[in-house]
Amino acid sequence: MSDVTQSVDFNDAQFSDYFALLKPRVMSLVVFTAAVGLFVAPVYTHPFIGFASILFIALGGGASGALNMWYDQDIDGVMKRTKSRPIPAGKIKGGEALSFGVWLSCISVIMLGLSSNFFAAGILAFTIFFYAVIYTIWLKRLTPQNIVVGGAAGAFPPMIGWAVATGSVSIESFMMFLLIFMWTPPHFWALALFMNDDYTKAGVPMLTVTHGKSKTRKHILIYSIILAPVAVGLSFTSIGGMIYFLAALMLNIRFLYGAWGLYRRKESAAEQDHYLSERRYFKESLIYLFLHFVALALQSVWLKIGMEAWL
Amino acid sequence: MSFRPLHELHVRRLSRNVGLGLVLVGFVGLVFGLTIVKVSNGSKLEAYDHSPRPSLIVEEKK
């Protein structure tokens, strides 16, 4: 009898490797923003339906992450930040990730449609398509504006959450979309400032690679200036109010101040302290978005217990 | 009768198999929960199967 185990690949993928294909950290942001989108909506949703719907939205987001890892396996292997992902690490084969992503996309969209409504499921399907095809396959390697347009994919979850509850789109959900959409460029460009070598090596045309770092610093400032009125403007919709207004005002002043600091910074100074301010700004940008949605949720609780929006 | 020792393959894939099992059980629980909530909130019970559907049966004239 021949030894059948001889040809078996011993580098077997574990459950956690499949989970890693779903980009859990991105998924946590998707879950949080979608949950807030659902929570602040004016229509009551049964908690279990809300829970299941958010789970399927997260699954859809994860599926698009798997498709992204399938397509980007070549550049992921080159970049320091991504080379330990399951495909470049040799744990999961590219084709496996592709079918995993496609199947999970189908399951998540159909299940979201069944658990809430097919309008929300339609936006989820479009989000997956947008992230996997428009961003990953088409724009990412083509233009330095890649993340500006691609940011839309990450901005849809609160809109889907809102659609789960209401079955429609409105100015409120559009403004939540716009908040994440305008936030994405300064967030990723701050990352690109200190991860520039990675992107250069992989040949991804990030703004830092094609137009240089000083131009990128200027763009971060411009986008955070446009972002501020969007973020504060959300206060004047039906889901806003004093609590959100004050939070947004403070967060945006701080964010603008940080962007101004990055703009004024000389490249030599940044290199000297290993991009300390840029790293800090990147981290702060995550907190910035998180706190905006926390403020929206708090404002919603305030309104739901029958208090006045503007005190 | 004695059980055969576990094949090495099953040992290597234990986390995958247990994980997938738990995911499937969770999925079943989720669909069951959704059914309970939808039905108790008054959603339609009928499906597209082979039994006569109440909404398609023409009421007899008296």
Side-chain angles (χ1 to χ4, degrees):
Chain A
M1 207 174 95
S2 62
D3 186 1
V4 287
T5 57
Q6 217 165 31
S7 62
V8 172
D9 180 9
F10 281 91
N11 205 4
D12 254 351
Q14 298 299 306
F15 187 74
S16 57
D17 295 316
Y18 285 94
F19 188 65
L21 272 185
L22 304 179
K23 296 197 174 179
R25 269 164 59 193
V26 176
M27 217 152 68
S28 62
L29 192 70
V30 169
V31 166
F32 180 63
T33 55
V36 172
L38 179 93
F39 181 69
V40 300
V43 183
Y44 171 78
T45 310
H46 191 285
F48 193 81
I49 293 191
F51 165 75
S53 301
I54 287 162
L55 207 68
F56 295 129
I57 297 171
L59 197 65
S64 66
L67 293 172
N68 168 279
M69 287 201 203
W70 156 71
Y71 192 78
D72 276 351
Q73 51 185 300
D74 53 339
I75 53 175
D76 278 355
V78 179
M79 299 205 289
K80 200 164 60 188
R81 188 170 71 92
T82 52
K83 70 176 177 199
S84 58
R85 284 180 175 173
I87 304 176
K91 300 255 178 68
I92 293 175
K93 290 196 178 68
E96 240 181 308
L98 172 64
S99 60
F100 188 63
V102 169
W103 277 110
L104 282 189
S105 302
C106 296
I107 293 170
S108 62
V109 169
I110 293 169
M111 286 310 296
L112 181 65
L114 292 173
S115 74
S116 62
N117 58 70
F118 277 94
F119 182 74
I123 313 180
L124 179 65
F126 182 71
T127 306
I128 298 170
F129 168 78
F130 199 93
Y131 186 67
V133 179
I134 307 279
Y135 171 68
T136 305
I137 296 179
W138 187 31
L139 295 174
K140 186 172 176 178
R141 304 182 193 207
L142 187 73
T143 159
Q145 297 300 315
N146 49 13
I147 50 154
V148 177
V149 185
F156 277 115
M159 204 183 225
I160 306 174
W162 180 277
V164 164
T166 63
S168 65
V169 177
S170 67
I171 183 74
E172 292 84 356
S173 70
F174 181 68
M175 290 287 281
M176 285 191 281
F177 167 88
L178 221 53
L179 171 63
I180 307 182
F181 182 69
M182 297 309 301
W183 162 87
T184 311
H187 170 73
F188 274 108
W189 283 332
L191 174 79
L193 279 176
F194 60 87
M195 284 286 177
N196 191 37
D197 297 345
D198 257 10
Y199 288 117
T200 311
K201 239 185 340 185
V204 178
M206 285 299 270
L207 199 62
T208 44
V209 179
T210 57
H211 291 71
K213 289 183 180 174
S214 68
K215 203 74 178 250
T216 307
R217 290 172 191 278
K218 193 172 166 188
H219 271 71
I220 290 177
L221 181 64
I222 293 170
Y223 270 85
S224 48
I225 291 172
I226 311 172
L227 170 65
V230 172
V232 177
L234 195 50
S235 328
F236 306 106
T237 63
S238 73
I239 56 172
M242 189 57 99
I243 297 173
Y244 175 81
F245 176 74
L246 290 176
L249 199 66
M250 283 189 291
L251 287 167
N252 279 281
I253 289 171
R254 197 178 159 83
F255 203 60
L256 278 170
Y257 181 71
W260 177 250
L262 287 195
Y263 174 65
R264 301 277 297 166
R265 215 157 124 85
K266 291 271 179 296
E267 199 46 45
S268 52
E271 268 171 31
Q272 214 158 39
D273 65 7
H274 302 288
Y275 294 92
L276 194 69
S277 302
E278 287 75 7
R279 287 171 203 274
R280 198 178 296 151
Y281 186 77
F282 175 73
K283 263 186 207 152
E284 263 183 32
S285 69
L286 276 168
I287 300 167
Y288 167 93
L289 192 69
F290 176 73
L291 289 182
H292 268 91
F293 278 85
V294 168
L296 275 177
L298 288 177
Q299 182 71 60
S300 178
V301 171
W302 181 262
L303 293 171
K304 277 175 184 167
I305 56 172
M307 306 297 272
E308 286 285 320
W310 293 94
L311 304 176
Chain B
M1 199 182 100
S2 65
F3 288 108
R4 276 181 300 167
L6 216 53
H7 191 280
E8 169 270 344
L9 182 83
H10 294 115
V11 177
R12 266 191 292 133
R13 292 192 175 165
L14 185 71
S15 94
R16 261 165 88 163
N17 295 336
V18 172
L20 183 62
L22 290 176
V23 166
L24 289 176
V25 169
F27 186 68
V28 170
L30 209 60
V31 173
F32 181 69
L34 279 173
T35 311
I36 297 292
V37 171
K38 295 231 170 209
V39 167
S40 55
N41 282 349
S43 294
K44 276 188 181 171
L45 279 166
E46 56 184 62
Y48 297 94
D49 54 19
H50 299 284
S51 55
R53 289 192 282 148
S55 59
L56 290 183
I57 296 171
V58 185
E59 267 186 53
E60 277 179 43
K61 282 179 188 163
K62 284 178 185 171

